[in-house]
Amino acid sequence: MSTFQDKKLVEQFAKVEHEVTTNVKSKNLLLVDIYLYAIMKLHSEYKTNVFKGTLEYLKKISKLSVNGIRESLKNLKEAGYIDYTPVANVCTIYKFTSTDVQFEKLPAVFVLDPDLEPREKGYMICVYQFLIKDQKTNEEYTTYTPSTLAKLINISKNTAIEYTKKLAEKGYIEELKTSYKGIETKVWKFSYRKMAAVANEQITIL
């Protein structure tokens, strides 16, 4: 078990391939599937691109139920993103099979923050790929509405609005000041102040 804090935590990233988060709808994946994939990538072996662990270990690091993990692993395998042969009560080797060379370096704090629910993390992971970087302010933002994001990542519009509100309330995304009104037309940016606050807390990577 290793504990990361302050600068060291900020330097941790989960490399999530673009095809995993852009084909959510066509692959019939769920937000919790994306979250599990990201946390497995965060804990994977860099050189071999594999994750090793039992279902109990996955339960410990993801805070998901064993049945939920089994379902997500099945979905990810059917989507062609992981391959494995399950062995009861034995450490299983999960090989990541995506061949996409493009990926997002997802900050570890997005995956590890205990204040966020697994589906909120999955939503944030999917939204992260649609950010645009402002070269002048260095802020990253999205102009996509919750309705558009819902279609892109295979969730209902109401769910996208709900998660957008929750992430805003928790300080992970902030509304940019514009003349637009209503959540459907607002422009959102990711809050690095929130990331810094989380990084300054002790978070344990099991």
Side-chain angles (χ1 to χ4, degrees):
M1 180 175 71
S2 302
T3 300
F4 296 88
Q5 195 174 13
D6 301 329
K7 278 187 177 180
K8 195 169 184 182
L9 177 62
V10 178
E11 293 168 359
Q12 304 302 310
F13 293 92
K15 293 184 178 180
V16 180
E17 295 83 3
H18 281 185
E19 70 167 327
V20 177
T21 48
T22 55
N23 292 327
V24 176
K25 187 173 183 178
S26 62
K27 296 289 187 177
N28 294 316
L29 292 173
L30 304 175
L31 293 179
V32 69
D33 302 336
I34 302 300
Y35 160 66
L36 183 65
Y37 184 88
I39 203 164
M40 289 173 70
K41 290 286 285 190
L42 182 63
H43 290 79
S44 65
E45 297 179 356
Y46 177 74
K47 291 184 178 180
T48 59
N49 198 32
V50 301
F51 170 86
K52 297 178 181 179
T54 62
L55 286 175
E56 283 302 318
Y57 179 65
L58 273 173
K59 178 182 177 181
K60 184 179 291 186
I61 64 175
S62 69
K63 311 303 181 187
L64 299 172
S65 69
V66 170
N67 286 339
I69 291 169
R70 284 197 180 103
E71 187 63 28
S72 286
L73 290 174
K74 175 176 173 289
N75 293 342
L76 289 166
K77 186 174 184 178
E78 289 179 351
Y81 298 141
I82 62 173
D83 192 21
Y84 63 96
T85 301
V87 181
N89 302 318
V90 176
C91 177
T92 301
I93 298 176
Y94 300 87
K95 183 178 180 181
F96 299 103
T97 53
S98 171
T99 57
D100 194 350
V101 296
Q102 293 184 310
F103 57 85
E104 294 295 339
K105 289 182 66 177
L106 189 76
V109 287
F110 285 0
V111 183
L112 297 173
D113 187 0
D115 190 38
L116 295 175
E117 297 297 327
R119 287 168 182 78
E120 293 172 351
K121 294 176 183 178
Y123 178 67
M124 188 163 58
I125 291 166
C126 289
V127 171
Y128 194 73
Q129 69 184 302
F130 299 114
L131 298 185
I132 302 170
K133 189 167 186 176
D134 189 316
Q135 298 301 321
K136 292 182 178 180
T137 64
N138 217 33
E139 291 178 338
E140 292 184 318
Y141 63 93
T142 179
T143 55
Y144 283 130
T145 66
S147 292
T148 300
L149 289 170
K151 293 176 181 177
L152 290 170
I153 60 180
N154 198 29
I155 58 176
S156 70
K157 182 180 77 171
N158 288 340
T159 299
I161 291 174
E162 176 188 355
Y163 288 156
T164 299
K165 285 181 177 179
K166 284 182 177 180
L167 290 173
E169 289 169 359
K170 292 181 178 181
Y172 261 105
I173 60 175
E174 299 175 354
E175 176 191 354
L176 287 176
K177 294 186 181 300
T178 65
S179 59
Y180 302 126
K181 294 182 179 180
I183 194 169
E184 276 291 3
T185 54
K186 289 178 180 177
V187 177
W188 303 93
K189 71 172 181 178
F190 270 63
S191 173
Y192 287 95
R193 287 197 296 273
K194 173 64 176 180
M195 284 178 57
V198 174
N200 285 330
E201 299 173 0
Q202 183 172 326
I203 294 181
T204 301
I205 299 182
L206 298 172

